[in-house]
Amino acid sequence: MAGNGSARTGAVGAGPAAGASATRRAVFVPVDTRARVDAVTRRIGDAIELGLLADGEQLPGETELAGQLGVSTVTLREALMALRQQGLVTTRRGRGGGSFVTLPEGPAGERLRARLADWSTEELRDLGDHWAAVSGAAALLAARRTQPGDLRPLARTVEELSAAAEPAARSRLFGRFHVELAAAAQSARLTREEIDLQTDLGALLCLVLDDPAHLTDVVDRHRSVISAVQDEADERARTLAETCVRDSVGRLIALRLAAPGDTHEPRPEEDTHGQQHRARGPREASR
């Protein structure tokens, strides 16, 4: 049932600049406690691929950056070493030195596919489920709370997404839409969740948003979310937002399953939602 229109109030910080700066700040929040070197490497590397950190930009000093990420300086140095090996960071010594963002020449596809290989299909499915739940809740609350004027940033982002030529730009705009949707829901917690999810999966979406047909579907769904929010159709808005996220993550899972050299026997069969099934024996496979 749609929410009461009288309960709607203006959303705070829903503009594109607010969404972009908030996403950028999320680059340097503390990382997950598991596999911290890998987590730091992935966090900063994905931010570089997404353009949240610009080519030539100087990273904070080691002590400051380690403190922001909640890791030791030893862990940070190992992560910076990995980023240097990937060609994403250059370290200079002496006066005016430090660690600087370096965008390597050539397409980012191979680098992103290597990062995708670091995720299991189960991890991708679990994160996709979480993301769908967060975006669905944000859409439902936005339909109940926001005023029509608060949706202008969302509409602007969708039009920019439709016109974006580069996969990295499309990925940033996809993420911005969901951050702005949470901001329109007037939920600081959901907005933070959306920002965190962009740092986890945002860069990888470049791999699926280079498909023009999928981009068209994404744009159409985003426009449908806005229409549902405007109509105060809260359940329809939630379903549409969830579907948009699940479809894109499902495509990532399909790419992960198709990765070469990723077959091991015996192995359970997996579908594109990361669900595992009992491997069939010879007699069953021939049926």
Side-chain angles (χ1 to χ4, degrees):
M1 177 180 291
N4 188 336
S6 63
R8 295 181 171 212
T9 58
V12 177
S21 62
T23 304
R24 182 183 171 82
R25 285 197 301 272
V27 173
F28 301 123
V29 299
V31 299
D32 192 280
T33 56
R34 298 167 297 170
R36 287 193 166 201
V37 173
D38 290 342
V40 172
T41 304
R42 181 184 297 166
R43 171 77 63 78
I44 297 176
D46 285 354
I48 293 170
E49 298 286 8
L50 279 170
L52 298 175
L53 299 175
D55 188 26
E57 178 176 345
Q58 184 173 7
L59 297 176
E62 288 185 355
T63 301
E64 179 184 355
L65 183 53
Q68 290 175 343
L69 294 171
V71 299
S72 68
T73 54
V74 172
T75 296
L76 177 65
R77 286 169 185 162
E78 289 185 37
L80 291 174
M81 181 184 299
L83 289 165
R84 284 195 294 271
Q85 291 171 346
Q86 294 174 22
L88 296 176
V89 166
T90 299
T91 300
R92 304 173 194 164
R93 304 297 178 188
R95 179 176 295 182
S99 294
F100 297 82
V101 173
T102 306
L103 283 180
E105 295 182 1
E110 291 184 8
R111 298 193 301 273
L112 291 174
R113 286 186 177 88
R115 293 186 194 181
L116 180 61
D118 290 337
W119 292 85
S120 70
T121 53
E122 183 179 26
E123 288 173 325
L124 288 170
R125 176 184 56 81
D126 187 54
L127 198 55
D129 287 343
H130 179 61
W131 189 4
V134 170
S135 286
L140 181 142
L141 291 174
R144 293 177 178 178
R145 295 175 176 175
T146 194
Q147 295 286 348
D150 298 327
L151 299 178
R152 292 193 193 100
L154 286 162
R156 186 164 48 243
T157 294
V158 171
E159 295 313 308
E160 290 180 22
L161 175 60
S162 178
E166 297 297 325
R170 295 170 182 175
S171 180
R172 287 195 298 272
L173 292 164
F174 184 106
R176 183 203 291 177
F177 178 89
H178 288 273
V179 171
E180 290 172 343
L181 184 63
Q186 302 174 46
S187 170
R189 188 175 294 275
L190 286 177
T191 302
R192 287 195 300 270
E193 284 286 331
E194 284 287 0
I195 291 169
D196 288 345
L197 285 161
Q198 304 317 312
T199 62
D200 282 328
L201 282 180
L204 294 180
L205 290 179
C206 295
L207 296 172
V208 297
L209 289 173
D210 64 347
D211 178 358
H214 180 52
L215 176 64
T216 298
D217 289 342
V218 167
V219 169
D220 288 345
R221 285 201 182 100
H222 282 183
R223 286 173 176 154
S224 296
V225 170
I226 294 173
S227 295
V229 171
Q230 286 176 330
D231 295 341
E232 301 182 42
D234 51 7
E235 291 294 344
R236 178 158 59 93
R238 174 165 62 181
T239 299
L240 287 165
E242 289 178 352
T243 300
C244 188
V245 169
R246 290 187 189 281
D247 186 43
S248 292
V249 176
R251 286 170 177 263
L252 275 180
I253 292 171
L255 281 177
R256 178 66 180 84
L257 287 170
D262 191 37
T263 55
H264 304 281
E265 295 294 343
R267 176 181 176 174
E269 295 180 351
E270 293 176 295
D271 60 26
T272 56
H273 297 289
Q275 300 283 11
Q276 292 190 347
H277 307 283
R278 180 175 58 88
R280 292 177 295 178
R283 292 180 61 187
E284 292 174 291
S286 64
R287 291 180 183 175

